[in-house]
Amino acid sequence: MSATKLEFDNGQLAVQLFGPQNQHLKLLSERIGVKLESRGNVVSIVSDDADRADLAGQVLTQLYAMLKAGKNIYPQDVDFACRVLERKPSADVGEVFKDDVYATSGKRTVAPKSLNQREYLDAIREADMTFGIGPAGTGKTYLAVAMAVGALVRREVKRIVLTRPAVEAGEKLGFLPGDLVEKINPYLRPLYDALHDMLDFAKVQEYQETGVIEVAPLAFMRGRTLNDAFIILDEAQNTTPEQMKMFLTRLGFGSRAVVTGDVTQIDLPVHSKSGLLHARKILDGVKGIRFIEFDEHDVIRHPLVGRIVRAYDKHEAGGGKR
């Protein structure tokens, strides 16, 4: 066992770095398997693994630099910083995290928490059309909605159009009460959830009533050309190739589109081809289109979600036997 000491020059910031009752140090200790002991503004890192000890030192040093730059540190940032530095030891965590996309109605800032998320945001800014492909919890839809709301507030676009396929529309919707809109709303609920995180409820209602924000099933996109709009297609793995082509050709002047989906969660009937898989195959390399692939390292909902994704991937890699 060897011990390394880190001393921080601002005692008040050191307290914030360590967290209430050293919560951040405890999280870091559990996350990477080292022993951390604090005294005043000094931390001792004890480990028989030099690489793990170095990672702990890097995480603490970079989070402290963020505090000195005026950024707040939250418990989840400890895990996010570990993920970034495990994947790319030379990364600047502060640079990855500092890209504030939008401040939500609750004044919480939406920002990337992984290298792929940062690349995703850069792609949305630079490309006319961006595909975000990866498992649940990687922020594909949430970040896209944040970018859309930010663009609307800055008047870069005149409207937001959010859409997703209702894959069971051919059968089960008929048994639900209400008119067509009420039948389809359950499929659009995740998009509303993201919107209500960004804007207060009254503002979302106002924007919908005036047509500034439209949340609609994919079938409603047919025959339209959408100009000066930020368009998001969610759950794109459940489109057919024909539906995907129909959506992609709705893009008008002054618009940008984001397509999100998880190719491991295709709910189409057996033997049906996914429009997302088809588009990824034939559009790769087309100018103006970017594809960003997410994996379990980008899952930000809860550490357990990442472990669940890895467990399912391992099961499927072994042939999917029970």
Side-chain angles (χ1 to χ4, degrees):
M1 300 288 284
S2 61
T4 304
K5 289 189 176 181
L6 289 178
E7 184 173 358
F8 302 97
D9 57 12
N10 185 315
Q12 186 175 357
L13 291 182
V15 171
Q16 294 180 46
L17 176 66
F18 302 161
Q21 300 179 329
N22 285 347
Q23 180 187 16
H24 297 168
L25 294 184
K26 292 174 184 175
L27 289 171
L28 181 59
S29 176
E30 294 173 2
R31 174 66 171 74
I32 61 178
V34 298
K35 185 177 180 182
L36 300 173
E37 299 174 343
S38 68
R39 183 182 294 273
N41 58 344
V42 177
V43 173
S44 295
I45 305 171
V46 182
S47 176
D48 57 0
D49 186 326
D51 290 338
R52 295 277 93 186
D54 182 62
L55 175 60
Q58 277 278 82
V59 169
L60 291 170
T61 300
Q62 295 212 32
L63 291 179
Y64 183 68
M66 289 174 59
L67 286 168
K68 293 189 77 171
K71 296 283 288 184
N72 293 323
I73 298 297
Y74 302 97
Q76 60 266 34
D77 290 330
V78 175
D79 181 52
F80 298 152
C82 287
R83 297 189 202 190
V84 169
L85 292 170
E86 284 174 333
R87 173 164 285 195
K88 187 178 180 182
S90 62
D92 184 333
V93 174
E95 282 295 313
V96 174
F97 288 3
K98 82 172 185 178
D99 187 2
D100 293 345
V101 180
Y102 184 73
T104 69
S105 57
K107 307 305 180 185
R108 181 169 56 85
T109 300
V110 179
K113 295 301 182 182
S114 73
L115 294 168
N116 284 334
Q117 286 192 353
R118 178 61 189 268
E119 186 180 359
Y120 182 53
L121 296 179
D122 289 341
I124 292 173
R125 290 190 181 98
E126 296 164 6
D128 293 325
M129 186 174 293
T130 302
F131 286 76
I133 302 173
T138 50
K140 306 180 300 295
T141 303
Y142 195 83
L143 288 174
V145 172
M147 290 289 283
V149 173
L152 181 67
V153 170
R154 294 188 299 271
R155 299 187 178 181
E156 296 171 5
V157 296
K158 294 180 180 178
R159 58 191 308 219
I160 297 172
V161 178
L162 309 176
T163 186
R164 63 187 339 220
V167 295
E168 295 175 339
E171 181 180 355
K172 295 186 181 179
L173 286 177
F175 296 98
L176 294 174
D179 59 20
L180 179 61
V181 173
E182 291 172 318
K183 290 174 187 290
I184 289 172
N185 266 347
Y187 293 94
L188 305 175
R189 191 72 257 166
L191 295 174
Y192 283 112
D193 289 343
L195 270 179
H196 290 143
D197 260 8
M198 311 295 165
L199 301 166
D200 59 48
F201 187 81
K203 198 66 177 176
V204 172
Q205 279 196 314
E206 176 191 334
Y207 279 154
Q208 285 195 266
E209 289 170 0
T210 57
V212 174
I213 292 179
E214 179 181 354
V215 184
L218 182 58
F220 285 26
M221 298 297 107
R222 189 173 300 279
R224 304 173 63 184
T225 299
L226 300 170
N227 296 316
D228 299 312
F230 198 117
I231 314 157
I232 299 173
L233 170 59
D234 191 32
E235 298 290 339
Q237 75 277 3
N238 288 328
T239 62
T240 65
E242 293 76 19
Q243 287 174 321
M244 177 62 77
K245 182 181 177 182
M246 178 272 291
F247 171 80
L248 298 179
T249 54
R250 300 308 94 201
L251 193 69
F253 291 105
S255 293
R256 73 184 86 166
V258 178
V259 178
T260 70
D262 178 1
V263 294
T264 68
Q265 293 187 4
I266 297 172
D267 299 317
L268 293 168
V270 179
H271 305 309
S272 295
K273 184 182 295 185
S274 167
L276 180 58
L277 289 172
H278 187 250
R280 182 169 65 176
K281 181 179 179 180
I282 68 174
L283 297 179
D284 188 30
V286 173
K287 185 178 179 180
I289 298 177
R290 291 277 303 275
F291 286 85
I292 305 298
E293 303 274 353
F294 296 91
D295 58 32
E296 74 273 8
H297 296 96
D298 303 299
V299 173
I300 61 171
R301 284 179 180 165
H302 189 287
L304 178 58
V305 177
R307 294 195 292 272
I308 290 171
V309 170
R310 286 194 295 273
Y312 271 91
D313 286 345
K314 183 179 178 180
H315 175 71
E316 291 166 4
K321 296 179 180 179
R322 292 186 178 181

